[in-house]
Amino acid sequence: MSAPSDSNSAPRVRIAPSPTGDPHVGTAYMGLFNYAFARRHGGKFILRIEDTDQARSTPGSEQAIFEALRWLGIEWDEGPDVGGPFGPYRQSERLPTYALEVERLLQSGHAYRCFCTRERLAELRKQQVEAKGKFGYDGHCRSLDPETAKARAEAGEACVVRLRVPDEGETLFVDGLRGTIRFANAEIDDQVLMKSDGFPTYHLANVVDDHRMGITHVIRGEEWITSTPKHVLLYQAFGWKMPEFFHLGLLRNPDGTKLSKRKNPVSVFYYREMGYLPETFVNFMGTLGFSMGDDVERFTLAEMVEAFEWEKVHPGGPVFDPVKLAAFNADDIRDLDDEELYRRLLERVLPRERLMPMVRQTKERIKRLDDFVPYVACFFGGEVDYRADWPKAQKKVKKRARKEVVDALKGWLDEIERDPRARAFDAEGLEAFSRDYCEASGFKAGELFTLLRLASTGRMATPPLFDTLEIVGKDRMRERLRGFIAFVAGQPDWAAADKK
Ligand code: GLU
């Protein structure tokens, strides 16, 4: 039961992504810094999958995390797929452990059962909003007799388990990059540790696993700083030695906002599909928040490992600048010898899995083999030019105001993330989703589909729309649609002009 942590031994670090959605650039970024630190000190880098949110976690997304990290060369020593001495490394397989640990907290009085219903909590929240007062749980069940509460739970009454946070005093921790960070206990909620379905929350599972897996340094994003005092209280309640904490700056868009898929592609796969070299991408991420010194920006993963020190890491929000990444990539492509470049082209741009769907779509539409390349050109590359075919597409929506069109496209772009049918981005699912989307948005299929056709390829003549979207792929489609939305938004409002 006791963990192997010992401050003199080699460090053990981890990333703990939740397997939801596409593999995020932020996960790769945290992976890189954890990896560099572990390798620098001969320690271990662990990959733990935090899949306690059963509604959102998917096996496909877990596989995608593995694939994305491996593509970048950020290899882990222990994890769900490679095993290790402290497994299982998937939280959904560790439920008995959390139940055991939460029981210890209940017995020591650091946690209590709470029977408040959803309705009561909603009412409480409403009152707090109206009173503009303090938010959070009001401690209603704190003073229940533990034995009675236990009996009620055992009799089947639904309850959660909450952490008993002291009302007074403060909780602090030292962040290796930011110094001492303090929180007034009065501001910390009596956090839910175990949900009524027996699943732990992030806070409980994260602390229990970090302890049991012997994690010595928690290196994660700054968005977790406000969770850390809750974790500190948990370590204290359990009587466990605390790891050291390092909160890296959150990646930002060039305009300073948090990196988000509304503004930038955030899936590692996008960068892979678009032909960024993995070593370049790693180098680029390494320049975000870490400086090699002497203005050296170009370095390999091995060089970063060699040079890694916390003094060279800056927590200020690092800017993910795609222009800089593209410049790095162009330089690195230029530096490849011709044979190597050819090999990479075959591997990334012309692999069988990518070409086959295009072969199928093209067969009935080309007269000579040599027509193939111009025909499929629209499936490759980044931005496309909408100007030539825009007037044709515009005719289809001439009765609508520009804003309506822009909003409909934005809505489609947002909804493809949420609708389970569209998530896999296959032709069938996309069609079913898009037809329903038309009904809901009041757009005619003919209108929306025309816009999507132009948005996806820059052309009005393409193979069947949904096959086309499938081949273009989710990441490239997102990027192009963003470009198309900006293009449409930049047009004079045609409907308004009509009304004059
Ligand atoms: N599951 C959390 C995430 O998705 C882990 C955060 C942490 O590193 O503690 O990033």
Side-chain angles (χ1 to χ4, degrees):
M1 189 157 133
S2 88
S5 86
D6 166 356
S7 55
N8 296 323
S9 63
R12 290 176 56 81
V13 298
R14 84 319 187 257
I15 53 168
S18 297
T20 59
D22 299 323
H24 200 278
V25 168
T27 301
Y29 180 68
M30 291 306 148
L32 172 63
F33 279 71
N34 275 277
Y35 173 95
F37 176 71
R39 290 288 172 273
R40 173 78 180 87
H41 297 282
K44 296 279 188 237
F45 169 50
I46 291 132
L47 173 58
R48 180 172 76 228
I49 293 292
E50 297 206 334
D51 60 348
T52 54
D53 184 345
Q54 290 283 289
R56 296 181 61 224
S57 301
T58 64
S61 174
E62 178 183 303
Q63 283 305 320
I65 293 170
F66 299 164
E67 207 181 309
L69 292 172
R70 287 220 165 88
W71 175 62
L72 293 169
I74 302 172
E75 294 277 346
W76 49 102
D77 304 301
E78 297 169 28
D81 56 337
V82 296
F86 300 100
Y89 293 90
R90 207 178 270 119
Q91 288 188 328
S92 58
E93 294 167 16
R94 301 174 62 82
L95 300 184
T97 303
Y98 310 125
L100 200 97
E101 297 294 8
V102 94
E103 191 52 42
R104 295 208 306 128
L105 292 181
L106 282 167
Q107 291 198 356
S108 65
H110 287 101
Y112 62 93
R113 291 191 172 85
C114 165
F115 297 88
C116 289
T117 58
R118 219 178 270 278
E119 292 72 34
R120 176 172 189 277
L121 295 175
E123 181 57 30
L124 175 67
R125 169 105 198 152
K126 210 172 115 209
Q127 286 168 11
Q128 289 171 339
V129 171
E130 276 164 16
K132 297 199 171 81
K134 193 181 150 231
F135 289 112
Y137 186 61
D138 61 355
H140 187 72
C141 292
R142 258 192 198 191
S143 49
L144 290 180
D145 167 52
E147 286 308 317
T148 321
K150 188 172 182 207
R152 280 169 69 179
E154 280 170 1
E157 196 174 337
C159 68
V160 301
V161 177
R162 289 184 186 270
L163 178 66
R164 193 185 298 276
V165 177
D167 291 324
E168 284 156 16
E170 58 176 16
T171 297
L172 52 84
F173 63 93
V174 179
D175 184 299
L177 294 170
R178 299 159 192 264
T180 303
I181 303 184
R182 300 166 185 276
F183 291 83
N185 288 338
E187 299 300 318
I188 306 173
D189 208 9
D190 275 5
Q191 205 63 53
V192 173
L193 302 175
M194 185 75 95
K195 295 178 269 185
S196 55
D197 59 3
F199 271 77
T201 58
Y202 156 69
H203 303 291
L204 178 74
N206 189 268
V207 167
V208 166
D209 287 348
D210 280 349
H211 171 70
R212 287 189 168 231
M213 294 180 181
I215 300 303
T216 56
H217 300 71
V218 168
I219 305 164
R220 62 184 167 198
E222 67 182 298
E223 71 269 37
W224 304 104
I225 290 179
T226 52
S227 295
T228 308
K230 297 164 193 168
H231 300 179
V232 170
L233 287 167
L234 275 170
Y235 280 103
Q236 289 168 351
F238 280 121
W240 291 338
K241 183 175 185 303
M242 227 156 352
E244 290 179 43
F245 292 102
F246 297 80
H247 290 93
L248 301 180
L250 216 54
L251 297 179
R252 301 197 173 274
N253 295 307
D255 66 5
T257 55
K258 179 181 158 211
L259 190 69
S260 73
K261 62 184 159 210
R262 278 172 175 270
K263 302 204 170 142
N264 244 321
V266 292
S267 161
V268 173
F269 287 166
Y270 168 83
Y271 296 94
R272 187 181 63 175
E273 294 327 308
M274 295 302 285
Y276 288 92
L277 309 180
E279 64 271 33
T280 310
F281 195 73
V282 164
N283 175 192
F284 170 70
M285 288 197 301
T287 63
L288 308 177
F290 168 79
S291 42
M292 200 61 154
D294 300 329
D295 288 334
V296 175
E297 283 206 304
R298 305 310 317 270
F299 45 83
T300 64
L301 181 56
E303 285 163 350
M304 178 169 170
V305 166
E306 175 84 3
F308 193 85
E309 284 171 33
W310 288 115
E311 289 70 41
K312 296 178 181 169
V313 178
H314 326 290
V319 175
F320 189 100
D321 178 1
V323 176
K324 181 168 167 179
L325 170 62
F328 274 20
N329 207 54
D331 279 348
D332 289 348
I333 288 178
R334 200 174 309 126
D335 286 347
L336 295 177
D337 71 44
D338 295 353
E339 281 300 329
E340 176 61 14
L341 178 54
Y342 179 66
R343 194 187 67 74
R344 301 245 193 164
L345 286 169
L346 290 184
E347 176 188 81
R348 212 26 79 208
V349 186
L350 305 167
R352 188 187 152 83
E353 335 61 275
R354 187 158 179 217
L355 289 188
M356 261 330 228
M358 300 183 202
V359 167
R360 250 174 259 128
Q361 288 305 328
T362 313
K363 210 165 157 178
E364 291 169 16
R365 299 182 172 85
I366 58 176
K367 297 194 184 68
R368 291 173 288 117
L369 298 182
D370 208 43
D371 294 334
F372 179 76
V373 170
Y375 196 82
V376 301
C378 63
F379 296 131
F380 295 92
E383 289 173 16
V384 283
D385 193 342
Y386 299 111
R387 283 171 301 187
D389 278 357
W390 167 242
K392 278 189 229 156
Q394 192 189 17
K395 267 194 204 129
K396 288 267 183 193
V397 289
K398 64 176 185 295
K399 295 220 176 71
R400 302 206 178 258
R402 178 187 57 194
K403 182 169 183 311
E404 265 181 281
V405 170
V406 167
D407 288 349
L409 292 169
K410 279 189 180 158
W412 189 89
L413 187 59
D414 281 348
E415 288 291 317
I416 51 174
E417 293 304 318
R418 290 190 215 117
D419 194 299
R421 290 169 303 180
R423 236 177 261 146
F425 224 75
D426 58 47
E428 206 180 316
L430 281 168
E431 175 158 9
F433 153 71
S434 300
R435 290 198 182 278
D436 284 358
Y437 180 79
C438 283
E439 296 234 326
S441 65
F443 263 68
K444 293 198 191 84
E447 295 174 315
L448 185 79
F449 294 2
T450 301
L451 296 168
L452 291 177
R453 187 180 299 281
L454 183 60
S456 59
T457 57
R459 301 190 334 209
M460 290 293 283
T462 67
L465 176 64
F466 295 103
D467 295 309
T468 299
L469 298 190
E470 181 179 326
I471 297 175
V472 168
K474 187 180 195 172
D475 296 313
R476 187 179 276 100
M477 181 61 196
R478 275 197 146 275
E479 178 73 344
R480 288 187 174 174
L481 191 46
R482 253 199 308 267
F484 184 61
I485 290 170
F487 171 83
V488 175
Q491 300 299 311
D493 191 343
W494 56 92
D498 272 358
K499 281 182 200 132
K500 273 189 194 156

PDB file of all heavy atoms in Angstrom, residues 14 16-18 50 202 206 220 224, ligand 1:
ATOM      1  N   ARG A  14       4.002  12.383 -14.071  1.00  0.00           N
ATOM      2  CA  ARG A  14       2.926  11.804 -14.887  1.00  0.00           C
ATOM      3  C   ARG A  14       2.184  12.877 -15.644  1.00  0.00           C
ATOM      4  O   ARG A  14       2.189  14.049 -15.275  1.00  0.00           O
ATOM      5  CB  ARG A  14       1.978  11.004 -14.001  1.00  0.00           C
ATOM      6  CG  ARG A  14       0.851  11.726 -13.242  1.00  0.00           C
ATOM      7  CD  ARG A  14       1.148  13.014 -12.611  1.00  0.00           C
ATOM      8  NE  ARG A  14       0.120  13.582 -11.789  1.00  0.00           N
ATOM      9  CZ  ARG A  14      -0.693  14.606 -12.141  1.00  0.00           C
ATOM     10  NH1 ARG A  14      -0.619  15.141 -13.336  1.00  0.00           N
ATOM     11  NH2 ARG A  14      -1.567  15.072 -11.281  1.00  0.00           N
ATOM     12  N   ALA A  16      -1.923  13.086 -16.888  1.00  0.00           N
ATOM     13  CA  ALA A  16      -3.131  12.355 -16.524  1.00  0.00           C
ATOM     14  C   ALA A  16      -4.306  12.828 -17.365  1.00  0.00           C
ATOM     15  O   ALA A  16      -5.292  13.341 -16.863  1.00  0.00           O
ATOM     16  CB  ALA A  16      -3.402  12.580 -15.029  1.00  0.00           C
ATOM     17  N   PRO A  17      -4.197  12.702 -18.682  1.00  0.00           N
ATOM     18  CA  PRO A  17      -5.257  13.233 -19.532  1.00  0.00           C
ATOM     19  C   PRO A  17      -6.578  12.483 -19.402  1.00  0.00           C
ATOM     20  O   PRO A  17      -6.589  11.290 -19.085  1.00  0.00           O
ATOM     21  CB  PRO A  17      -4.697  13.064 -20.948  1.00  0.00           C
ATOM     22  CG  PRO A  17      -3.695  11.974 -20.853  1.00  0.00           C
ATOM     23  CD  PRO A  17      -3.125  12.054 -19.468  1.00  0.00           C
ATOM     24  N   SER A  18      -7.636  13.194 -19.636  1.00  0.00           N
ATOM     25  CA  SER A  18      -8.952  12.572 -19.720  1.00  0.00           C
ATOM     26  C   SER A  18      -9.194  12.254 -21.183  1.00  0.00           C
ATOM     27  O   SER A  18      -8.991  13.109 -22.048  1.00  0.00           O
ATOM     28  CB  SER A  18     -10.017  13.532 -19.204  1.00  0.00           C
ATOM     29  OG  SER A  18      -9.758  13.793 -17.853  1.00  0.00           O
ATOM     30  N   GLU A  50      -7.325   9.378 -17.000  1.00  0.00           N
ATOM     31  CA  GLU A  50      -8.338   9.785 -16.018  1.00  0.00           C
ATOM     32  C   GLU A  50      -9.713   9.755 -16.683  1.00  0.00           C
ATOM     33  O   GLU A  50     -10.195  10.749 -17.218  1.00  0.00           O
ATOM     34  CB  GLU A  50      -7.985  11.160 -15.433  1.00  0.00           C
ATOM     35  CG  GLU A  50      -6.665  11.092 -14.667  1.00  0.00           C
ATOM     36  CD  GLU A  50      -6.494  12.128 -13.548  1.00  0.00           C
ATOM     37  OE1 GLU A  50      -7.122  13.207 -13.625  1.00  0.00           O
ATOM     38  OE2 GLU A  50      -5.727  11.858 -12.611  1.00  0.00           O
ATOM     39  N   TYR A 202     -12.543  13.944  -9.827  1.00  0.00           N
ATOM     40  CA  TYR A 202     -11.150  14.198 -10.225  1.00  0.00           C
ATOM     41  C   TYR A 202     -10.253  14.354  -8.997  1.00  0.00           C
ATOM     42  O   TYR A 202      -9.177  13.760  -8.919  1.00  0.00           O
ATOM     43  CB  TYR A 202     -11.105  15.451 -11.115  1.00  0.00           C
ATOM     44  CG  TYR A 202      -9.770  16.147 -11.129  1.00  0.00           C
ATOM     45  CD1 TYR A 202      -8.662  15.557 -11.741  1.00  0.00           C
ATOM     46  CD2 TYR A 202      -9.596  17.389 -10.516  1.00  0.00           C
ATOM     47  CE1 TYR A 202      -7.426  16.182 -11.740  1.00  0.00           C
ATOM     48  CE2 TYR A 202      -8.372  18.023 -10.513  1.00  0.00           C
ATOM     49  CZ  TYR A 202      -7.280  17.427 -11.122  1.00  0.00           C
ATOM     50  OH  TYR A 202      -6.062  18.043 -11.112  1.00  0.00           O
ATOM     51  N   ASN A 206      -7.307  11.716  -8.391  1.00  0.00           N
ATOM     52  CA  ASN A 206      -6.016  12.281  -8.752  1.00  0.00           C
ATOM     53  C   ASN A 206      -5.018  12.180  -7.588  1.00  0.00           C
ATOM     54  O   ASN A 206      -3.876  11.757  -7.757  1.00  0.00           O
ATOM     55  CB  ASN A 206      -6.280  13.743  -9.160  1.00  0.00           C
ATOM     56  CG  ASN A 206      -5.076  14.421  -9.760  1.00  0.00           C
ATOM     57  OD1 ASN A 206      -4.305  15.042  -9.053  1.00  0.00           O
ATOM     58  ND2 ASN A 206      -4.904  14.301 -11.074  1.00  0.00           N
ATOM     59  N   ARG A 220       1.783  20.316 -14.185  1.00  0.00           N
ATOM     60  CA  ARG A 220       0.534  20.402 -14.955  1.00  0.00           C
ATOM     61  C   ARG A 220       0.231  21.854 -15.279  1.00  0.00           C
ATOM     62  O   ARG A 220       0.993  22.754 -14.934  1.00  0.00           O
ATOM     63  CB  ARG A 220      -0.602  19.763 -14.164  1.00  0.00           C
ATOM     64  CG  ARG A 220      -0.897  20.434 -12.845  1.00  0.00           C
ATOM     65  CD  ARG A 220      -1.979  19.678 -12.080  1.00  0.00           C
ATOM     66  NE  ARG A 220      -2.056  20.135 -10.694  1.00  0.00           N
ATOM     67  CZ  ARG A 220      -2.633  19.446  -9.717  1.00  0.00           C
ATOM     68  NH1 ARG A 220      -3.190  18.292  -9.974  1.00  0.00           N
ATOM     69  NH2 ARG A 220      -2.666  19.932  -8.502  1.00  0.00           N
ATOM     70  N   TRP A 224      -5.127  24.197 -13.089  1.00  0.00           N
ATOM     71  CA  TRP A 224      -5.361  23.326 -11.927  1.00  0.00           C
ATOM     72  C   TRP A 224      -4.928  23.970 -10.621  1.00  0.00           C
ATOM     73  O   TRP A 224      -5.044  23.364  -9.566  1.00  0.00           O
ATOM     74  CB  TRP A 224      -4.649  21.977 -12.133  1.00  0.00           C
ATOM     75  CG  TRP A 224      -5.096  21.322 -13.406  1.00  0.00           C
ATOM     76  CD1 TRP A 224      -4.403  21.262 -14.575  1.00  0.00           C
ATOM     77  CD2 TRP A 224      -6.364  20.695 -13.662  1.00  0.00           C
ATOM     78  NE1 TRP A 224      -5.162  20.637 -15.546  1.00  0.00           N
ATOM     79  CE2 TRP A 224      -6.355  20.281 -15.010  1.00  0.00           C
ATOM     80  CE3 TRP A 224      -7.495  20.449 -12.875  1.00  0.00           C
ATOM     81  CZ2 TRP A 224      -7.444  19.626 -15.601  1.00  0.00           C
ATOM     82  CZ3 TRP A 224      -8.571  19.810 -13.461  1.00  0.00           C
ATOM     83  CH2 TRP A 224      -8.540  19.410 -14.804  1.00  0.00           C
TER      84      TRP A 224
HETATM   85  N1  GLU B   1      -7.362  14.766 -15.735  1.00  0.00           N
HETATM   86  C1  GLU B   1      -6.740  16.041 -15.643  1.00  0.00           C
HETATM   87  C2  GLU B   1      -6.609  16.575 -17.060  1.00  0.00           C
HETATM   88  O1  GLU B   1      -7.436  16.239 -17.836  1.00  0.00           O
HETATM   89  C3  GLU B   1      -5.406  15.937 -14.942  1.00  0.00           C
HETATM   90  C4  GLU B   1      -4.879  17.227 -14.387  1.00  0.00           C
HETATM   91  C5  GLU B   1      -3.661  16.964 -13.550  1.00  0.00           C
HETATM   92  O2  GLU B   1      -2.584  16.834 -14.131  1.00  0.00           O
HETATM   93  O3  GLU B   1      -3.778  16.874 -12.331  1.00  0.00           O
HETATM   94  O4  GLU B   1      -5.734  17.283 -17.447  1.00  0.00           O
END
